[in-house]
């Protein structure tokens, strides 16, 4: 009986921590999107994101984004402790507005890509990725 | 970290004038996220590459701000337009102040 009470407490604490974690991350996500958009409304279309539906290893998930006409792209993991993954600015020497990299995903979540076009408008695409083993360690 | 960060870059040797070429880069780096803890429970301090740039003959192609959610041994793939023969210059900036560079030449076929 003593053991079960201790275990129950431990489980309860763990559950509280797990429940508390996503909230600061999602606020940070909205802040990062607002800063990137700079007051422009976020639209859809004209941007494609390519990510696996299921990632066995969250430490290296291949993600590619393509947004013709974009001057900058931002990549975010909606459920990561630090949601912003990378910000890419395309210079005059860029041949096309696409970018591919490998990212860490802490858990199953949406990967969000935003692109800012030359006229200042901002577009968004999302891809849901199921993560089997999270990529944040600890 | 500076000693074992080894950049690897894949650029075609030749291109037609005006052609868009795909460039792939990778650099060995542990990209310590600052989220992990050691056995004693202390947070391992962040140590990542925080910026990557590629220029072609002095004209910027991409400028990437990198955060800890980019995987270890960061890999990037992007496109550049080649109007004339010249040199691609790749630069990685480490949190510890180190700068890693690589240069690849391309000729017009």
């Amino acid at each position: 009986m003593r053991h079960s009470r201790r275990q129950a407490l431990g489980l309860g604490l763990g559950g509280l921590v797990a429940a508390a974690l996503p909230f600061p991350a999602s606020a940070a996500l909205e802040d990062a999107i607002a800063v990137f958009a700079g007051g422009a409304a976020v639209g859809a279309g004209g941007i494609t994101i390519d990510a696996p539906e299921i990632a066995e290893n969250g430490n290296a998930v291949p993600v590619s984004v393509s947004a013709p006409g974009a001057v900058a792209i931002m990549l975010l993991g909606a459920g990561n402790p630090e949601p912003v993954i990378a910000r890419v600015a395309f210079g005059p020497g860029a041949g096309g507005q696409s970018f591919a990299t490998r990212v860490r995903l802490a858990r199953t979540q949406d990967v969000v890509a935003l692109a800012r076009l030359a006229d200042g408008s901002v577009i968004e695409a999302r891809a849901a990725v199921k993560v089997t083993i999270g990529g944040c360690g600890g | 970290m500076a000693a074992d960060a080894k950049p690897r870059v894949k650029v075609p040797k030749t291109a037609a004038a005006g052609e868009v070429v795909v460039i792939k880069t990778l650099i060995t780096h542990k990209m310590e996220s600052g989220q992990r803890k050691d056995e004693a429970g202390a947070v391992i301090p962040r140590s990542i590459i925080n910026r990557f740039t590629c220029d072609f003959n002095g004209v910027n192609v991409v400028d990437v701000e990198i955060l800890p959610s980019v995987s270890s041994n960061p890999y990037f793939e992007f496109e550049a337009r080649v109007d004339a023969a010249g040199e691609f210059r790749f630069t990685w900036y480490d949190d510890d102040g180190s700068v890693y560079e690589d240069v690849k030449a391309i000729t017009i076929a």
Side-chain angles (χ1 to χ4, degrees):
Chain A
M1 282 305 280
R2 281 179 204 153
H3 283 295
S4 70
R5 181 169 171 266
R6 194 168 287 175
Q7 280 162 354
L9 274 171
L11 279 172
L13 280 174
L16 276 176
V17 170
L21 273 173
F23 295 111
S26 67
L29 175 81
E30 276 157 33
D31 285 353
I33 291 175
V35 168
F36 184 82
V42 177
I47 178 168
T48 52
I49 180 166
D50 194 11
E53 269 177 47
I54 298 173
E56 280 173 18
N57 182 359
N59 268 314
V61 183
V63 175
S64 67
V65 182
S66 176
V71 292
I73 285 179
M74 181 166 70
L75 201 56
L76 304 112
N80 271 7
E82 280 185 66
V84 180
I85 296 169
R87 296 187 186 93
V88 184
F90 294 105
Q97 283 69 38
S98 68
F99 189 78
T101 186
R102 295 181 191 137
V103 307
R104 288 179 174 138
L105 298 177
R107 55 190 172 82
T108 297
Q109 59 182 282
D110 277 358
V111 178
V112 186
L114 283 103
R116 192 190 308 123
L117 305 182
D119 63 5
S121 59
V122 174
I123 47 179
E124 179 196 86
R126 282 172 190 252
V129 180
K130 284 196 174 112
V131 176
T132 314
I133 302 169
C136 273
Chain B
M1 199 60 223
D4 51 342
K6 183 171 172 279
R8 266 173 274 173
V9 175
K10 205 170 177 185
V11 178
K13 286 191 173 64
T14 62
E19 191 183 336
V20 171
V21 296
V22 174
I23 295 174
K24 297 175 181 180
T25 73
L26 187 137
I27 188 163
T28 49
H29 196 289
K30 63 180 190 269
M31 297 289 282
E32 189 58 62
S33 68
Q35 300 282 344
R36 295 199 309 150
K37 288 174 181 166
D38 64 16
E39 284 153 9
V43 172
I44 304 169
R46 172 183 136 156
S47 172
I48 65 165
I49 289 175
N50 56 52
R51 187 176 172 219
F52 165 74
T53 63
C54 169
D55 295 279
F56 181 60
N57 290 343
V59 177
N60 182 250
V61 177
V62 286
D63 189 337
V64 187
E65 182 192 347
I66 305 163
L67 287 108
S69 296
V70 171
S71 300
S72 54
N73 304 331
Y75 166 83
F76 306 118
E77 183 183 326
F78 51 92
E79 296 167 320
R81 199 181 60 249
V82 179
D83 288 325
E87 233 178 37
F88 282 103
R89 181 171 292 272
F90 305 91
T91 318
W92 292 261
Y93 299 85
D94 197 307
D95 269 353
D96 68 8
S98 310
V99 174
Y100 319 113
E101 279 190 318
D102 200 359
V103 171
K104 290 277 180 209
I106 189 165
T107 55
I108 298 296

